[in-house]
Amino acid sequence: MACIYSSSVSSISTKLNFPSISNHKPKFFCSLGGAIAEPKAVNATEPLLLDAARGKDVERPPVWLMRQAGRYMKSYQILCEKHPSFRERSESVDLVVEISLQPWKVFKPDGVILFSDILTPLSGMNIPFDIVKGKGPIIFDPIRSASDVEKVVEFTPDESVPYVGEALTILRKEVNNEAAVLGFVGAPFTLASYVVEGGSSKHFSKIKRLAFSEPKVLHALLQKFATSMAKYIQYQADHGAQAVQIFDSWATELSPVDFEEFSLPYLKQIVDTVKRTHPTLPLILYASGSGGLIERLPLTGVDVVSLDWTVDMAEGRRRLGPNVAVQGNVDPGVLFGTKEFITERIKDTVRKAGKGKHILNLGHGIVVGTPEENVAHFFEVAKGLRY
């Protein structure tokens, strides 16, 4: 089949040929030239992203970007001048809603993710912290012993973070089902890494020392996070989140055998708990640098696995198997390239992902300094694609 593409992406639809979802050997995009394909009207009552996550037929891959609300946007920079504290920006209902909607108003992505942080629940678990510009997260009293773990309380979202529920409820009304409203949480091992290390880390020596010398202490902490994050996902879903992404950013610092002990069981526990009360809620798992763990990620029971850019999409899809959807995985650095280069990388990723069960995204969050016009181009191209 022929297709046409021009820089005026919003006015055309790029038609693509794909193998079936059960056979992910990449074929090729149709050659340029020929008739313009007419976009089909979307009749689904659910947002496109939810249909793709559930394996339903869709006309194109839905698209949103991690960190799509944030520092690369001029509107966000202006807001930060008035509200310099990240905690204030992420814990005020009005500011959370305004920031979450900034990319929605400009780019109209298929997913609108709550502006928050994976560490937001910590205060409600008796773990004081702050996020300092230029330094990142700071845990005031790092957890290093059994007595420290005993002081950690299970999270009660409606008491500790009512602003999250209020913001999600408002976002659902504002977005009006034209896109999926996304919530997110941190995974137990990643949260434990922050609170044991005392913040970000390069070598993760403190949490590995705890894991390999006092595993019972770490397991006790991981269990508290697993119970709390399951409750947090349920809370977000009850207040408007239509899908929730679980970030296990640091799980890939573990060897496969240690992942199976310190991360996988707790992720599975969260998924099993949530699915008992919210069986149709799509759950997405993202773990950066997960190339060595790909086959293990679907064992968590999530609906979608988000791959980073270091994994070839065709290989990742093949290794994940046909029963889980995939998200990703364009290199965020691509957005510093030319518009032609961005277009080709989008097409390459979508081609390799195959038809259906794919949510187009970056392989990590948008990088500070990314040209806003290139982000606009990314969305224009993505929304102009057709299977």
Side-chain angles (χ1 to χ4, degrees), residues 212-228:
F212 302 148
S213 65
E214 297 183 83
K216 289 184 179 180
V217 174
L218 180 55
H219 280 300
L221 178 60
L222 292 169
Q223 183 56 60
K224 287 189 174 183
F225 279 132
T227 301
S228 297

Side-chain angles (χ1 to χ4, degrees), residues 74-222:
K74 183 63 177 177
S75 56
Y76 180 78
Q77 295 167 12
I78 293 171
L79 186 145
C80 289
E81 293 174 2
K82 299 178 182 177
H83 306 279
S85 166
F86 181 87
R87 291 286 299 273
E88 179 193 3
R89 295 193 299 273
S90 62
E91 296 177 13
S92 162
V93 173
D94 291 344
L95 292 178
V96 169
V97 171
E98 180 180 353
I99 295 169
S100 301
L101 290 176
Q102 283 178 342
W104 165 248
K105 292 176 179 178
V106 177
F107 309 122
K108 286 293 188 289
D110 296 303
V112 175
I113 192 165
L114 175 77
F115 180 78
S116 186
D117 193 87
I118 63 170
L119 302 185
T120 293
L122 293 187
S123 294
M125 298 183 72
N126 196 30
I127 306 174
F129 81 102
D130 201 359
I131 298 176
V132 180
K133 185 177 180 180
K135 294 184 178 180
I138 296 176
I139 308 300
F140 296 124
D141 299 304
I143 295 172
R144 306 276 168 78
S145 67
S147 60
D148 292 337
V149 174
E150 288 175 5
K151 297 174 186 176
V152 177
V153 300
E154 289 185 1
F155 186 50
T156 306
D158 55 352
E159 295 178 5
S160 300
V161 293
Y163 50 87
V164 169
E166 292 176 42
L168 285 168
T169 300
I170 295 170
L171 287 174
R172 275 294 295 273
K173 293 178 182 177
E174 291 288 331
V175 176
N176 194 30
N177 234 32
E178 294 177 42
V181 172
L182 306 174
F184 70 93
V185 303
F189 183 80
T190 290
L191 294 175
S193 295
Y194 278 110
V195 304
V196 172
E197 295 287 338
S200 300
S201 178
K202 289 185 177 180
H203 303 294
F204 297 87
S205 58
K206 295 179 178 66
I207 191 166
K208 289 189 177 183
R209 179 183 294 117
L210 188 63
F212 302 148
S213 65
E214 297 183 83
K216 289 184 179 180
V217 174
L218 180 55
H219 280 300
L221 178 60
L222 292 169

Side-chain angles (χ1 to χ4, degrees), residues 32-71:
L32 297 179
I36 297 174
E38 291 294 328
K40 297 178 181 178
V42 179
N43 297 317
T45 57
E46 293 272 37
L48 186 69
L49 186 148
L50 302 185
D51 284 343
R54 293 169 180 153
K56 297 182 180 180
D57 288 337
V58 291
E59 63 179 1
R60 64 171 173 84
V63 57
W64 70 282
L65 303 181
M66 287 183 276
R67 292 184 185 165
Q68 65 188 16
R71 291 172 288 178

Side-chain angles (χ1 to χ4, degrees), residues 224-238:
K224 287 189 174 183
F225 279 132
T227 301
S228 297
M229 292 308 103
K231 289 169 62 177
Y232 195 23
I233 293 174
Q234 292 166 327
Y235 172 80
Q236 291 185 28
D238 289 341

Side-chain angles (χ1 to χ4, degrees), residues 98-386:
E98 180 180 353
I99 295 169
S100 301
L101 290 176
Q102 283 178 342
W104 165 248
K105 292 176 179 178
V106 177
F107 309 122
K108 286 293 188 289
D110 296 303
V112 175
I113 192 165
L114 175 77
F115 180 78
S116 186
D117 193 87
I118 63 170
L119 302 185
T120 293
L122 293 187
S123 294
M125 298 183 72
N126 196 30
I127 306 174
F129 81 102
D130 201 359
I131 298 176
V132 180
K133 185 177 180 180
K135 294 184 178 180
I138 296 176
I139 308 300
F140 296 124
D141 299 304
I143 295 172
R144 306 276 168 78
S145 67
S147 60
D148 292 337
V149 174
E150 288 175 5
K151 297 174 186 176
V152 177
V153 300
E154 289 185 1
F155 186 50
T156 306
D158 55 352
E159 295 178 5
S160 300
V161 293
Y163 50 87
V164 169
E166 292 176 42
L168 285 168
T169 300
I170 295 170
L171 287 174
R172 275 294 295 273
K173 293 178 182 177
E174 291 288 331
V175 176
N176 194 30
N177 234 32
E178 294 177 42
V181 172
L182 306 174
F184 70 93
V185 303
F189 183 80
T190 290
L191 294 175
S193 295
Y194 278 110
V195 304
V196 172
E197 295 287 338
S200 300
S201 178
K202 289 185 177 180
H203 303 294
F204 297 87
S205 58
K206 295 179 178 66
I207 191 166
K208 289 189 177 183
R209 179 183 294 117
L210 188 63
F212 302 148
S213 65
E214 297 183 83
K216 289 184 179 180
V217 174
L218 180 55
H219 280 300
L221 178 60
L222 292 169
Q223 183 56 60
K224 287 189 174 183
F225 279 132
T227 301
S228 297
M229 292 308 103
K231 289 169 62 177
Y232 195 23
I233 293 174
Q234 292 166 327
Y235 172 80
Q236 291 185 28
D238 289 341
H239 287 79
Q242 294 166 286
V244 176
Q245 180 154 310
I246 304 169
F247 286 87
D248 207 353
S249 309
W250 303 130
T252 52
E253 293 294 327
L254 293 168
S255 68
V257 67
D258 294 320
F259 175 80
E260 290 176 354
E261 179 175 356
F262 296 108
S263 181
L264 179 58
Y266 298 100
L267 290 168
K268 190 175 189 306
Q269 183 183 139
I270 289 172
V271 173
D272 289 345
T273 300
V274 171
K275 290 296 185 179
R276 281 196 292 270
T277 57
H278 299 75
T280 63
L281 178 73
L283 297 176
I284 307 167
L285 174 61
Y286 174 75
S288 58
S290 60
L293 299 172
I294 287 179
E295 288 82 1
R296 291 168 174 81
L297 300 182
L299 302 178
T300 60
V302 295
D303 304 280
V304 185
V305 171
S306 190
L307 299 175
D308 75 5
W309 74 95
T310 64
V311 178
D312 180 82
M313 177 56 83
E315 292 178 9
R317 174 74 106 167
R318 185 166 56 251
R319 290 171 63 190
L320 286 171
N323 297 324
V324 65
V326 67
Q327 179 175 273
N329 68 338
V330 177
D331 183 344
V334 166
L335 292 175
F336 289 96
T338 65
K339 288 181 171 57
E340 292 77 14
F341 183 71
I342 294 168
T343 299
E344 288 306 312
R345 283 301 177 90
I346 291 171
K347 294 199 302 183
D348 179 67
T349 299
V350 174
R351 172 176 60 86
K352 289 178 176 177
K355 183 178 180 180
K357 277 193 173 183
H358 176 220
I359 299 168
L360 181 62
N361 206 314
L362 300 177
H364 201 282
I366 296 178
V367 178
V368 178
T370 297
E372 199 166 336
E373 63 269 21
N374 285 2
V375 177
H377 180 74
F378 189 101
F379 279 112
E380 284 185 305
V381 172
K383 295 183 76 173
L385 299 175
R386 292 295 180 270

